[in-house]
Amino acid sequence: MLDKKVKIFRKLKGPIVIEGPVELTDMEGNLINHKNKFSLCGCGKSLKMPFCDGAHKTLI
């Protein structure tokens, strides 16, 4: 079995995109369900935290 590398990159003035096998938890250690590729909010304006909902687009 091959180990997949996790890819993480930040879009300019926008979300942090994560792709690959990662475990995402809240501050208490509870698992947060997500897809294999997802975006985390990088601006703090999302109503769907910790995920990006496109709110950063109103900041540009």
Side-chain angles (χ1 to χ4, degrees):
M1 182 168 113
L2 296 175
D3 288 331
K4 282 192 152 191
K5 288 187 178 182
V6 175
K7 296 177 187 177
I8 301 173
F9 67 94
R10 172 89 187 241
K11 291 186 176 182
L12 183 65
K13 298 183 182 178
I16 302 157
V17 180
I18 295 99
E19 183 175 10
V22 298
E23 194 173 272
L24 180 63
T25 64
D26 63 15
M27 293 186 330
E28 287 83 34
N30 300 307
L31 289 175
I32 299 173
N33 291 327
H34 58 81
K35 296 180 180 179
N36 186 56
K37 183 176 182 180
F38 59 97
S39 298
L40 296 175
C41 178
C43 72
K45 302 290 184 187
S46 176
L47 297 177
K48 296 183 177 184
M49 291 295 260
F51 301 105
C52 176
D53 68 0
H56 62 276
K57 294 176 185 176
T58 62
L59 301 174
I60 297 173

